Amino acid sequence: VNGVHVIDHPLIRHKLTIIRDRHTGPKEFRELLDEVAMLMAYEVTRDLPLEEVEIETPIARTTGWTISGKKVGIVPILRAGLGMVGGILRLIPTAKVGHIGVYRDPETLAPVEYYCKLPPDIAERELIVVDPMLATGGSAAAGIRFIKERGGTSIRLMALIAAPERIERLRREHPDVPVFLAAVDERLDENAYIVPGLGDAGDRLYGTR
Ligand code: PRP
Ligand code: URA
């Protein structure tokens, strides 16, 4: 599972195209991002370990399977990562949710943490960090670093769109973190926006521009 995975299921490609369209407003953008996150969560959790359990159906005793091992934690990077939490929670309703706020210092370009609230038992959880955009990768890399500093060990990253030249840098800093994407785009523009991308994910999600 370690590595970079592009989940290009037809439903995801279809919904992502509508998400990218500049004419798609915040209501539809939110709904579709939520749906894509749910579809991606299906693949992102494919390797979760199972254990056998004995149950009784109305007809007979039988053995079935239950997810075993570590419990799941979802960690959105604010703001835009919030748009992917609901879809994952619908599949994994018992997951705990931590929040990390990161902004980029306009002078130094260094990622600055402005908020962090994580479940106390993150060391025991299978953590899914979510952020739709992996542009320079700075925000995601910093978020993962903050989680590791607080004891998180088992981490995977789920994003929507990445710029190709930056995925490798993130992988070098966090080689233990598998990356799941819906698409890899062409490049970054001079303002570090992904081309063609979808614009500013936070603004499109919340209508702040
Ligand atoms: C966006 C996006 C990522 C980041 C990606 O957030 O949600 O967190 O940019 O860029 P990077 O890979 O170059 O770090 P933004 O900084 O716009 O904050 P917001 O979500 O609060 O609007
Ligand atoms: N952040 C975004 O929201 N979009 C981009 O294209 C790059 C960074």
Side-chain angles (χ1 to χ4, degrees):
V1 64
N2 205 350
V4 179
H5 308 260
V6 179
I7 307 171
D8 58 355
H9 189 283
L11 288 171
I12 293 179
R13 294 178 73 173
H14 176 92
K15 289 173 195 288
L16 181 59
T17 303
I18 307 172
I19 288 175
R20 289 181 188 274
D21 192 324
R22 67 180 307 158
H23 301 108
T24 300
K27 174 178 186 285
E28 219 184 338
F29 189 96
R30 271 195 300 276
E31 289 168 357
L32 289 162
L33 181 57
D34 181 76
E35 288 168 17
V36 168
M38 186 173 76
L39 293 169
M40 289 185 76
Y42 184 82
E43 280 301 323
V44 171
T45 55
R46 181 175 279 284
D47 67 329
L48 290 186
L50 293 168
E51 63 188 6
E52 270 188 306
V53 287
E54 285 233 345
I55 57 153
E56 244 177 277
T57 76
I59 309 298
R61 285 189 74 78
T62 185
T63 49
W65 298 94
T66 187
I67 289 173
S68 72
K70 293 185 172 181
K71 299 265 182 279
V72 172
I74 308 166
V75 185
I77 298 185
L78 306 181
R79 281 178 302 168
L82 289 174
M84 301 177 85
V85 174
I88 309 174
L89 276 178
R90 237 175 303 136
L91 290 188
I92 315 169
T94 57
K96 298 248 167 92
V97 183
H99 295 83
I100 293 188
V102 180
Y103 74 86
R104 187 160 287 257
D105 185 292
E107 314 263 278
T108 66
L109 293 181
V112 181
E113 183 190 77
Y114 64 86
Y115 186 80
C116 185
K117 183 83 183 172
L118 298 171
D121 57 349
I122 50 164
E124 273 82 62
R125 284 183 185 270
E126 193 62 57
L127 299 169
I128 307 174
V129 176
V130 294
D131 188 340
M133 310 304 279
L134 212 71
T136 68
S139 304
I144 293 168
R145 202 179 326 125
F146 298 143
I147 292 171
K148 287 180 174 174
E149 284 165 9
R150 290 170 172 87
T153 52
S154 193
I155 304 168
R156 50 194 81 194
L157 174 66
M158 175 171 152
L160 211 55
I161 305 176
E165 66 264 38
R166 300 309 179 114
I167 303 172
E168 276 319 304
R169 215 191 70 183
L170 181 90
R171 293 280 306 152
R172 268 201 305 281
E173 184 174 345
H174 299 292
D176 55 317
V177 176
V179 179
F180 294 85
L181 301 164
V184 178
D185 275 9
E186 288 164 25
R187 59 186 170 88
L188 289 182
D189 72 8
E190 57 285 2
N191 300 313
Y193 274 87
I194 298 174
V195 182
L198 52 72
D200 187 298
D203 284 343
R204 293 206 53 198
L205 194 52
Y206 296 114
T208 41
R209 196 159 54 201

